[in-house]
Amino acid sequence: MHTIGLCTYGITPLDALELARTADELGFDALWLGEHVLHPTSYTSDHPSTGTRQHHSGPIVDDTTELTDPLAVHAAIAAVTERLKLGTAVHVTALRHPLHTARTTITLQELSGGRLLFGVGAGWLAEEFAALDVPFAGRFSRTDECVEILRKAWAGESFSHEGSHYRFDEVRLHPRAVSVPVVYGGNGPRALDRAARLGDAWISSGTPTFEEAVELVGVLRRHRTETCGNAEFPCYVRVEVTEATTAADLERYRDRGLDDLVVWADAGWKGATVAERRENLAALADRLGVRSPALHR
């Protein structure tokens, strides 16, 4: 089944709430929220997509960027929507202790009726790590260890942990198992390998071209076959949509087996008022062939 989700970054929590409510009514499948915890007033770190095709122009984060906690916003979204999946693209998991993240994700998954898609990434902004007193070096292994701990916590059993970054005696976070899909982000060779080995799904970083998307998903599925013997693996590909893009234009992705597409919300969510933004998003949904919830049944 083909899906079309939305992704956004740098909008206020209340605007994200209105966007989610409208997307749910129109039949979009998911809303993916990006994050940073803070904005270093001066930084030299380069985003991994620097030099490649990007949706945003200018700095990824500066003093004009609206920053939110995606899990907190998704908790509010869960209360006003019925079927919209709640994605993080991506949660910089290494910036927080995994037991704290486990507590929040368990609560959100039960609150939302199982709609959380937990997208994780290793992070790229060294100055953000420094401000939070988390070592930037080793962030990839730290992220993987966080995911390992999260999966233990979600299993609903008591467990202890002795790893390279975290050590604690036996704890239990929940009296029952909670299923939370882990969606790894990133387009580099290391990120693709980790996604295939450790993830339940993958989401692209930035907005790859059609040719790049086909190549990236091909690499993922080969890795997945080698590690799991099964190439079936949800791959959420972000697609750049213009005023001329139609449902027919998206079919070439689906013809190559790229069934889970994500478009930038500001292709439709634009206008001076909420009413205008709702109207423009509805027009985008019609143009892209998004089905209303009644037709989903």
Side-chain angles (χ1 to χ4, degrees), residues 165-187:
H165 303 285
Y166 303 99
R167 300 169 185 82
F168 49 84
D169 293 333
E170 190 167 305
V171 298
R172 185 176 184 180
L173 276 78
H174 208 54
R176 55 193 168 273
V178 176
S179 177
V180 182
V182 176
V183 185
Y184 268 82
N187 297 357

Side-chain angles (χ1 to χ4, degrees), residues 139-219:
R139 65 195 182 280
F140 292 99
S141 63
R142 183 180 294 270
T143 300
D144 294 343
E145 192 170 332
C146 284
V147 170
E148 178 186 354
I149 293 168
L150 286 169
R151 291 193 187 279
K152 292 177 181 178
W154 295 333
E157 302 292 340
S158 298
F159 68 100
S160 60
H161 184 80
E162 183 76 22
S164 300
H165 303 285
Y166 303 99
R167 300 169 185 82
F168 49 84
D169 293 333
E170 190 167 305
V171 298
R172 185 176 184 180
L173 276 78
H174 208 54
R176 55 193 168 273
V178 176
S179 177
V180 182
V182 176
V183 185
Y184 268 82
N187 297 357
R190 187 174 183 179
L192 297 178
D193 175 67
R194 290 164 63 242
R197 286 187 294 104
L198 304 173
D200 301 304
W202 169 81
I203 186 166
S204 67
S205 177
T207 312
T209 65
F210 171 72
E211 292 77 12
E212 289 169 342
V214 170
E215 181 178 356
L216 288 168
V217 172
V219 170

Side-chain angles (χ1 to χ4, degrees), residues 210-232:
F210 171 72
E211 292 77 12
E212 289 169 342
V214 170
E215 181 178 356
L216 288 168
V217 172
V219 170
L220 271 165
R221 288 177 174 161
R222 287 195 296 274
H223 281 324
R224 191 70 174 178
T225 300
E226 293 168 0
T227 58
C228 303
N230 184 356
E232 292 299 319

Side-chain angles (χ1 to χ4, degrees), residues 29-53:
D29 293 278
L31 178 61
W32 299 83
L33 302 179
E35 80 140 0
H36 278 287
V37 174
L38 52 86
H39 164 230
T41 55
S42 176
Y43 66 89
T44 59
S45 302
D46 285 329
H47 190 272
S49 64
T50 299
T52 63
R53 184 167 174 254

